[in-house]
């Protein structure tokens, strides 16, 4: 693979930025990777492990001369970072982000992007419950989707380069409108996370089942919920605060379905339950056939990033 950007600046050095650094290096997609993070501690760890070619102390410094700038901080921090870097961006550069919500990020970031700089928001549909500068790995984006949300009249050349970067890191790229993105992700990611947080919270509250029992007898269903519910609290707080409408819409539908199933259980309507579970089983098969998960008993999760 050949170099796509001369200099890439990563703002934030956690799971996603770290994985990008590893993946870009592996495929030689950037001549130089410059990184920065909010805390001196993260910057120092990143230097120690050689995550980037250079780690600098501020976002304003990191973006100087960069051809691509990737905002990889929590959604609630995107606006302030954009304000800081705006005056220092190189004309002709591309600014992108990896935030899990798109409309709110566009509203926070776009006003700070000067004329002559391309802003192409993005979201890789890949992650783990781990965070921090040591959590990234090169294969995180392999065979995963990366959704790009180009505003109208986006420069086709800038778009093609960003697409090539994600493809070079192993992802499949698709373009999507911001509001549609937020609704799709509310169904596939945001509402399921909230349900997992709730289920683990319920188990924690249930005094008749001791902590020891919850851990010792944790069956696959609950175990998967606990993995999801171990996700970063800052990131997920920001996701729900910034994708409020779509998440509430999906949770409303979820609650209706839950009541219907509750009623079927109460009235002994086995046919309803059986038909419902048959329909949902087909969706699981579809996900495996699409290569987005594996049917190994542990869902392949013993490997990082699965
Ligand atoms: P992470 O591992 O927690 O890393 C976040 C980075 O942002 C850290 O370097 C942190 O610096 C920095 N940061 C935190 N608060 C900041 C602030 N107020 N101002 C400036 N920098 C700040 O997070 P991540 O999982 O890589 O997530 C980053 C972005 O990717 C989020 O927007 C998230 O929505 C998106 N995303 C995450 C996943 C996932 O599964 N994790 C998947 C797809 C997309 P310090 O370490 O110095 O605090």
């Amino acid at each position: 693979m050949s170099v796509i950007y001369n200099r890439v600046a990563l703002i934030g050095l956690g799971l996603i930025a770290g994985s990008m650094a590893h993946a870009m290096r592996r495929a030689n997609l950037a001549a130089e990777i410059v990184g920065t993070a909010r805390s001196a501690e993260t910057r120092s760890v990143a230097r120690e492990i050689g995550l980037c070619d250079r780690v600098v102390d501020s976002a304003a410094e990191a973006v100087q001369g960069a051809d691509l700038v990737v905002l990889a901080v929590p959604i609630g921090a995107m606006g302030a970072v954009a304000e800081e870097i705006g005056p220092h961006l190189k004309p002709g550069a591309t600014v992108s982000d990896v935030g899990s919500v798109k409309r709110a990020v566009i509203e926070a970031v776009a006003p700070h992007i000067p004329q002559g700089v391309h802003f192409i928001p993005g979201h890789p549909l890949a992650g783990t419950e781990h965070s921090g500068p040591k959590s990234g790995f090169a294969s995180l984006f392999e065979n995963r989707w990366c959704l790009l949300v180009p505003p109208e009249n986006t420069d086709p050349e800038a778009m093609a380069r960003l697409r090539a970067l994600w493809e070079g890191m192993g992802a499949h790229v698709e373009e999507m409108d911001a509001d549609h993105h937020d609704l799709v992700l509310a169904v596939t990611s945001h509402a399921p996370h909230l349900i997992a947080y709730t289920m683990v919270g319920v188990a924690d509250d249930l005094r008749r089942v001791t902590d020891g029992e919850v851990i010792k007898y944790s069956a696959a269903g609950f175990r998967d919920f606990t993995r999801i519910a171990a996700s970063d609290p800052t990131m997920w707080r920001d996701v729900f605060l910034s994708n409020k409408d779509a998440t509430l819409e999906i949770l409303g539908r979820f609650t209706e379905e839950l009541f219907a199933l509750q009623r079927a259980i109460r009235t002994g309507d086995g046919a309803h339950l059986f038909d419902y579970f048959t329909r949902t089983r087909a969706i699981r098969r579809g996900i495996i056939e699409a290569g987005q998960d594996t049917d190994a008993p542990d869902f392949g999760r013993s490997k990082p990033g699965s």
Side-chain angles (χ1 to χ4, degrees):
M1 199 79 61
S2 57
V3 167
I4 295 172
Y5 293 101
N6 242 335
R7 185 180 295 170
V8 174
L10 299 173
I11 314 298
L13 291 172
L15 170 72
I16 302 295
S19 298
M20 290 184 73
H22 290 298
M24 285 190 286
R25 278 200 167 149
R26 188 175 66 171
N28 191 31
L29 302 171
E32 188 189 22
I33 302 171
V34 183
T36 191
R38 171 181 56 169
S39 68
E41 191 191 340
T42 296
R43 296 194 298 267
S44 143
V45 171
R47 284 188 188 107
E48 247 168 59
I49 62 173
L51 192 60
C52 305
D53 299 304
R54 274 192 297 132
V55 174
V56 297
D57 289 344
S58 74
E61 193 183 342
V63 304
Q64 277 168 27
D67 305 288
L68 173 69
V69 175
V70 182
L71 311 181
V73 298
I75 295 160
M78 296 270 184
V81 170
E83 188 176 9
E84 180 188 344
I85 63 173
H88 306 279
L89 293 164
K90 173 173 143 177
T94 294
V95 173
S96 189
D97 77 295
V98 294
S100 308
V101 175
K102 294 279 55 92
R103 176 60 62 200
V105 169
I106 292 169
E107 280 170 9
V109 172
H112 303 293
I113 305 296
Q115 281 280 334
V117 171
H118 313 287
F119 176 41
I120 310 177
H123 178 203
L125 306 191
T128 73
E129 66 278 26
H130 303 296
S131 45
K134 288 185 174 168
S135 59
F137 52 97
S139 60
L140 178 66
F141 309 113
E142 268 171 26
N143 202 28
R144 300 287 168 191
W145 288 100
C146 180
L147 303 177
L148 295 181
V149 181
E152 252 177 73
N153 303 322
T154 294
D155 177 49
E157 157 74 18
M159 183 66 191
R161 280 173 86 185
L162 189 59
R163 173 185 276 274
L165 181 85
W166 280 106
E167 288 175 350
M169 292 190 289
H172 307 296
V173 175
E174 195 112 306
E175 289 178 37
M176 207 179 261
D177 159 80
D179 295 323
H180 189 64
H181 167 279
D182 290 354
L183 184 62
V184 169
L185 267 291
V187 178
T188 59
S189 171
H190 306 166
H193 269 80
L194 200 72
I195 293 160
Y197 280 124
T198 314
M199 194 56 230
V200 175
V202 166
D204 188 41
D205 286 344
L206 206 65
R207 296 286 168 227
R208 277 168 299 163
V209 181
T210 66
D211 278 1
E213 282 173 314
V214 167
I215 292 164
K216 184 171 168 189
Y217 300 122
S218 83
F222 185 70
R223 219 169 40 212
D224 277 353
F225 276 141
T226 59
R227 187 185 67 82
I228 297 171
S231 299
D232 187 68
T234 304
M235 169 182 159
W236 284 96
R237 177 203 60 198
D238 286 4
V239 164
F240 293 118
L241 294 181
S242 60
N243 198 18
K244 200 171 174 172
D245 294 346
T247 310
L248 290 177
E249 158 74 18
I250 300 307
L251 285 174
R253 287 170 187 244
F254 174 82
T255 313
E256 284 171 21
E257 298 279 308
L258 192 63
F259 278 137
L261 290 176
Q262 201 174 331
R263 188 183 158 77
I265 294 169
R266 192 188 311 285
T267 59
D269 188 351
H272 180 90
L273 296 174
F274 187 85
D275 290 350
Y276 202 93
F277 301 159
T278 304
R279 190 152 62 88
T280 54
R281 187 180 224 188
I283 292 181
R284 172 75 197 157
R285 261 191 230 115
I287 289 172
I288 291 167
E289 277 161 25
Q292 294 298 303
D293 208 342
T294 131
D295 62 358
D298 66 350
F299 297 149
R301 277 177 191 132
S302 47
K303 285 183 303 190
S306 308

